[in-house]
Amino acid sequence: MKRLLALAAAAFISLPLTPAIAQEAQPGTPGAGDPYFPDQGNGGYDAGHYDLTLGYDPGPDRLAGVARISARATQALSRFDLDLVSTLSVRSVTLDGRPATFSQSGSELVITPRSTLPAGRDFSVIVQYDGKPEHVVDPDGSMDGWIRTNDGVFNANEPQGAMTWYPGNHHMTDKATYRFTVTVPRSRVAVANGDLVSKVTKDERTTYVWNSREPMASYLVTVSIGKFQLTDTRVGGYRVITAVDSKLADSAKNFAERHAPVLDYFSSLFGPYPFSSTGGIADDAPEVGYALESQSRPIYPHVPSESLLAHELAHQWFGDSVTPTLWRDIWLNEGFATYAQWLWADKQGTRTVQSSFDAAYARAADDEFWQTPPADPGGPANLFHDPVYDRGAMTLHALRRTVGDESFFKILRTWASEHKYGNADTAAFIALSERVSGKQLDALFDAWLFKPGKPSL
Ligand code: TRP
Ligand code: ZN
């Protein structure tokens, strides 16, 4: 379900009735065109659904997978790529049931069908693969992907971990639905996004089936494994599914119940919660150092504080349902989620939004912090730096002060509804803010989002 980066199929002029017609087919590009991660994603097709069947045993640390991917060619294709690291070995690839030629290099799995795919053709690829998965180290030094814990896997895939454990079109502009069938030793639980469909134990293994019916970007997928306590309950109208590391059981007693009040408050401000279930994974993974807003089921390296819970749940609207178009636009995720933390703290009577703004704004004008404009953090190493979060949130507060509460919350609700399950960029947010408020806001956004230096009030 790629929307924005799909390269328009090249229009070739060819002589009729010559073999040249068949040669119009071109290879799909090996990247989606994102300057921060040039190899991420692929051109020439649009993935619609992933059906992943995985077996993993933390003992031997071996993953065996079958990925069935339904896609549509967006150009005539002579061959195309999926993103998958070469440390995992691909055993076979079929395309519409027929064996296809393939090769692996770097993080690209190159697939050549027996005959070219015409533009617009729906096709199905099945990739069988296995190996010992390894996480990647991101440009900022953090771990990402299939991250081992002492009892399983902390699986967090922002910005580029998905390629470490399944093949796909791993740029965020190609959202797709998912079904996961994961078999693990019976002492372990496998938890993924969406709804738990079934759990069947046979002999020494348990198979979990999860279904994620709303479109999802690869970086928001999780299949996490551990000695978890799994709960699946209804709380205040939400289906809340939680997995808690048994080591954290005592401090996580009310984990499921804590979701509803936050979601109710955010729904009242941003519009309806966008997914069929919610919940979270509280793992014991102190070495990871961050939490991630995996779709419908954020993953935490410990039991989350109220503020962290609010941050990851706010991402369900801002980041997960409405997803940026390029990594450069990451402030649309982190600035919004940080602002939502301020809103939740205010609602709870802990701290007013104004006081959170004031504290962030109090950084001295010569502080390094002010040198990074949030809408262009300067490269993949800076994706999760403070200015993206705090100056992003301050931008929203400055907007609110300028347009007033009524317009401001209307802007947020319209953003969430107009781009539900889609992608949108900073320019679209600015245009929407001007449309809803009826104000010219270039100067405000220029100062807060694009120019280095401390904006004046
Ligand atoms: N998006 C995460 C959040 O909710 C943060 C995050 C994801 C992160 N991947 C990361 C932070 C890598 C640092 C490094 O804030
Ligand atoms: Zn965040």
Side-chain angles (χ1 to χ4, degrees), residues 152-172:
V153 183
F154 183 101
N155 183 220
N157 297 299
E158 187 185 27
Q160 51 170 352
M163 65 180 178
T164 69
W165 63 278
Y166 75 98
N169 196 22
H170 292 324
H171 190 263
M172 59 182 138

Side-chain angles (χ1 to χ4, degrees), residues 8 15 45 90 105 115 127 143 203 207 213 234 251-253 256 266 277 297 301 309 315 342 363 373 425 435 437 451:
L15 297 171
Y45 67 94
V90 173
S105 98
S115 46
V127 180
M143 296 185 281
D203 302 327
T207 298
R213 69 176 97 145
R234 286 239 149 231
S251 51
K253 281 220 153 52
F266 288 166
S277 57
R297 197 131 308 117
L309 181 73
H315 271 310
W342 295 359
R363 290 175 172 92
D425 62 12
R435 173 155 61 86
S437 69
K451 286 205 187 106

Side-chain angles (χ1 to χ4, degrees), residues 9 44 55 60 177 242 255 264 272 359 361 388-389 418-419 426 447:
T177 55
T242 60
F255 185 43
D264 281 347
Y361 190 75
V388 170
Y389 287 72
E418 276 187 358
H419 301 291
T426 300

Side-chain angles (χ1 to χ4, degrees), residues 276-292:
S276 60
S277 57
T278 180
I281 305 163
D283 203 351
D284 176 33
E287 64 283 11
V288 174
Y290 64 87
L292 179 68

Side-chain angles (χ1 to χ4, degrees), residues 368-420:
E368 181 60 29
F369 171 88
W370 296 109
Q371 290 317 306
T372 305
D376 192 359
N382 298 344
L383 276 179
F384 303 110
H385 279 191
D386 287 352
V388 170
Y389 287 72
D390 294 351
R391 186 164 161 180
M394 282 188 272
T395 302
L396 291 177
H397 195 60
L399 173 65
R400 180 177 174 184
R401 298 287 301 260
T402 304
V403 302
D405 282 13
E406 203 184 311
S407 283
F408 176 73
F409 287 105
K410 190 168 173 207
I411 291 165
L412 295 189
R413 275 194 301 279
T414 310
W415 183 248
S417 64
E418 276 187 358
H419 301 291
K420 189 175 178 183

